[in-house]
Amino acid sequence: MRIPQIIYTMDLPSRAVIVYCYLCDRANKNGECFPAAATIAADLHISKSTVFRALADLEGAGLLIRQ
């Protein structure tokens, strides 16, 4: 999935931007992906709690829906 350029103009913490780019890179043609928080954390060399905060930021901004 291509990364929408609007992500760079939104007032989001850098943790949210890197997690969003990670998710876009791994999304299928429908924009869906299901990596575990531990996988995201390990791949990006950040803590799981940082991943959870980033996901909350992105959900709050309306950029993703968690299931």
Side-chain angles (χ1 to χ4, degrees), residues 23-36:
L23 295 173
C24 286
D25 186 53
R26 282 145 183 84
N28 64 21
K29 64 181 178 176
N30 297 322
E32 301 169 332
C33 63
F34 302 97

Side-chain angles (χ1 to χ4, degrees), residues 7 13-14 16-17 21 37 39 46-47 60-61 67:
I7 189 72
S14 59
V17 175
C21 291
T39 302
I46 59 178
S47 70
Q67 296 181 340

Side-chain angles (χ1 to χ4, degrees), residues 10-67:
M10 298 179 77
D11 190 27
L12 290 168
S14 59
R15 67 177 178 246
V17 175
I18 63 166
V19 169
Y20 188 76
C21 291
Y22 177 92
L23 295 173
C24 286
D25 186 53
R26 282 145 183 84
N28 64 21
K29 64 181 178 176
N30 297 322
E32 301 169 332
C33 63
F34 302 97
T39 302
I40 298 170
D43 288 351
L44 295 177
H45 305 284
I46 59 178
S47 70
K48 283 195 313 185
S49 62
T50 299
V51 171
F52 287 121
R53 285 193 308 271
L55 293 173
D57 294 335
L58 294 168
E59 191 172 34
L63 293 171
L64 66 81
I65 299 169
R66 289 192 273 183
Q67 296 181 340

